[in-house]
């Protein structure tokens, strides 16, 4: 039986997103052209890797909307069996952010909220995030974020897990947090949080699996098999590129199924 793969970190970029100057370093590292992939190309990339469902993220930064929630909803509406929406918000408008999360979850059917700290240069314990966390708890959706160093040439400090996420998880014990992009170089901090908090998860987006830190792979094989989710960061990295050497991880059958799809179905309350 083939693996049921869920990719928890994808984008369907528009021209506005693809023209951002901070993409330059990512394009250089990945040999990706600064072109907007059409939706059929995205579906083709998913099919090539056997990805059944992709979580598409909206993006909002301090200078405005990059990929709007409604743009994501439009794509999800065209292929509801292949995509689920991840909302974003404007941190400078706390009341509007709460209302937008409610709208995205209740009316658009979105399954999570994501804010990328380096884009704002604000760590996740900043007061401007706190209304977002309350809304996520009230709407029963995970808060997704980026941990670790940044690909764009921006400060990495907002992605450091301790003390920033540590304080958030203490202040909001009911909040489910998914830290994307692995968290390197602070792997000891990442794994200490994963062991300390049952509602903290890690996704492997932006990494080819054979380049994952060894300590994370060891965690995935054992007690951490319920805590790590697959993600690609498409289109910067395709799912096929990430999964190319999946067998090298040495995961058992249960750990493999949970990593590729089972954990995501549970954490994001996706249909079986």
């Amino acid at each position: 039986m083939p693996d049921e793969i869920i990719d928890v970190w994808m984008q369907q970029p528009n021209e506005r997103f693809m023209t951002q100057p901070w993409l330059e370093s990512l394009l250089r590292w990945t040999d990706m052209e600064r072109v907007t992939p059409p939706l059929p190309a995205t579906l083709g990339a998913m099919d090539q890797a056997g990805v059944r469902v992709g979580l598409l993220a909206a993006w909002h930064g301090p200078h405005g909307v990059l990929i709007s929630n409604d743009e994501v909803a439009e794509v999800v509406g065209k292929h509801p069996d292949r995509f689920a929406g991840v909302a974003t918000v404007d941190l400078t408008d706390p009341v509007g952010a709460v209302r937008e999360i409610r709208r995205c979850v209740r009316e658009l059917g979105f399954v999570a909220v994501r804010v990328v700290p380096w884009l704002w240069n604000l760590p996740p314990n900043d007061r401007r995030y706190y209304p977002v966390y309350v809304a996520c708890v009230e709407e029963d959706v995970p808060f997704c974020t980026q941990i670790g160093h940044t690909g764009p040439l921006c400060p990495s400090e907002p992605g450091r897990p301790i003390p920033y996420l540590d304080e958030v998880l203490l202040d909001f014990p009911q909040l489910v947090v998914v830290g994307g992009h692995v968290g390197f170089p602070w792997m000891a901090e990442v794994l200490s949080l994963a062991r300390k908090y049952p509602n903290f998860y890690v996704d492997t987006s932006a990494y080819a699996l054979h380049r994952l830190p060894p300590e994370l792979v060891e965690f995935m094989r054992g007690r951490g098999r319920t805590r790590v989710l697959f993600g690609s960061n498409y289109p910067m990295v395709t799912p096929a590129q990430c999964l190319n050497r999946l067998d090298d991880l040495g995961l058992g059958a249960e750990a493999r199924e949970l990593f590729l799809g089972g954990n995501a179905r549970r954490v994001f309350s996706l249909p079986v």
Side-chain angles (χ1 to χ4, degrees):
M1 183 176 179
D3 296 309
E4 172 113 330
I5 302 174
I6 298 171
D7 188 335
V8 303
W9 189 307
M10 298 183 68
Q11 289 83 204
Q12 178 56 46
N14 53 31
E15 185 175 353
R16 188 168 58 247
F17 182 90
M18 292 303 300
T19 57
Q20 293 301 305
W22 45 258
L23 272 178
E24 189 60 38
S25 60
L26 293 179
L27 298 173
R28 184 175 71 250
W29 294 346
T30 60
D31 292 325
M32 179 184 170
E33 296 182 8
R34 196 184 281 271
V35 295
T36 304
L39 183 55
T42 301
L43 291 166
M46 294 168 65
D47 291 340
Q48 181 185 6
V51 173
R52 183 71 186 86
V53 176
L55 272 58
L56 289 183
W59 281 65
H60 197 299
H63 302 296
V65 176
L66 300 177
I67 304 174
S68 73
N69 292 320
D70 287 326
E71 286 174 302
V72 170
E74 182 179 356
V75 175
V76 174
K78 290 177 180 177
H79 298 278
D81 58 329
R82 301 302 304 276
F83 296 114
V86 177
T88 194
V89 293
D90 180 359
L91 292 181
T92 66
D93 180 9
V95 174
V98 169
R99 290 173 176 165
E100 182 65 359
I101 291 169
R102 290 172 179 164
R103 182 182 79 92
C104 287
V105 175
R106 298 178 187 181
E107 299 179 21
L108 303 181
F110 281 24
V111 299
V113 176
R114 175 176 293 130
V115 177
V116 181
W118 61 258
L119 190 59
W120 294 86
N121 198 23
L122 293 173
N125 65 344
D126 187 274
R127 62 184 175 81
R128 281 159 282 200
Y129 288 86
Y130 275 49
V132 175
Y133 300 149
V134 172
C136 286
V137 171
E138 289 183 340
E139 298 303 319
D140 196 23
V141 293
F143 175 77
C144 302
T145 190
Q146 176 267 341
I147 54 176
H149 75 97
T150 63
L153 300 181
C154 301
S156 294
E157 182 64 18
R160 182 161 190 161
I162 298 175
Y164 309 120
L165 269 181
D166 190 32
E167 292 182 2
V168 171
L169 290 161
L170 285 171
D171 287 344
F172 295 89
Q174 295 174 290
L175 179 68
V176 174
V177 176
V178 180
H181 294 15
V182 171
F184 182 85
W186 297 297
M187 294 313 302
E189 296 184 12
V190 172
L191 295 179
S192 71
L193 292 188
R195 294 184 178 105
K196 181 177 180 180
Y197 300 104
N199 53 333
F200 176 63
Y201 299 83
V202 180
D203 83 50
T204 62
S205 55
Y207 276 74
L209 296 185
H210 69 279
R211 295 187 179 277
L212 290 178
E215 56 267 51
L216 179 62
V217 176
E218 182 181 358
F219 183 66
M220 295 165 64
R221 292 172 182 156
R223 294 181 63 185
R225 62 188 179 278
T226 62
R227 311 295 291 285
V228 185
L229 294 68
F230 169 72
S232 70
N233 199 28
Y234 176 88
M236 280 61 82
V237 188
T238 68
Q241 289 171 321
C242 292
L243 291 165
N244 184 40
R245 292 167 58 179
L246 171 64
D247 291 342
D248 290 358
L249 297 183
L251 301 178
E254 181 192 23
R256 178 179 173 122
E257 186 278 329
L258 290 171
F259 167 58
L260 292 178
N263 292 334
R265 282 195 301 273
R266 184 183 74 256
V267 171
F268 295 101
S269 300
L270 300 175
V272 177

